[in-house]
Amino acid sequence: MKRMIVSLACALIAPLAFAQTSTTTTETTTTYSSGTVTTYEPGKTIVVKSEEGPVSFALGTAARIVDGAGKVVTAPLRAGQRVRVYYTGPTEKRVVERVIVED
């Protein structure tokens, strides 16, 4: 009887022991570029002149524009303003997460 209970318990536990679980992790790297604003179209694009030359970024719906203290900037960006643009994605598809106005 004892042997039968042990066998039954093993039969019930075995599928759980051999069950395969899979997890997928996606790592997103955020990088930044600093420079001065040359062109800004609210909700669409921002072009920043940096050491590498002009760099264009797509503004996503979640993009935030803040000052150095982290407060949201409501005024549109102007040409000549110094900014630091934090973005994700490859060179061809850079999407802005956050813009920090430095001046």
Side-chain angles (χ1 to χ4, degrees):
M1 182 68 161
K2 196 175 198 182
R3 188 177 271 180
M4 181 191 264
I5 293 173
V6 171
S7 297
L8 185 59
C10 288
L12 293 173
I13 294 174
L16 298 176
F18 294 109
Q20 294 182 1
T21 60
S22 65
T23 56
T24 303
T25 57
T26 304
E27 189 172 314
T28 304
T29 303
T30 301
T31 50
Y32 72 90
S33 180
S34 294
T36 57
V37 175
T38 58
T39 307
Y40 173 66
E41 295 180 54
K44 293 182 181 179
T45 60
I46 182 171
V47 179
V48 176
K49 183 179 179 185
S50 66
E51 292 177 359
E52 299 88 36
V55 184
S56 179
F57 302 94
L59 290 171
T61 56
R64 295 177 300 152
I65 301 174
V66 297
D67 63 11
K71 295 180 182 177
V72 175
V73 174
T74 56
L77 296 175
R78 300 179 320 272
Q81 280 186 301
R82 292 218 25 94
V83 294
R84 181 176 285 186
V85 180
Y86 289 86
Y87 64 93
T88 59
T91 304
E92 312 82 42
K93 297 181 181 179
R94 290 176 263 219
V95 177
V96 174
E97 288 188 350
R98 179 179 67 214
V99 176
I100 298 178
V101 180
E102 295 180 342
D103 60 342

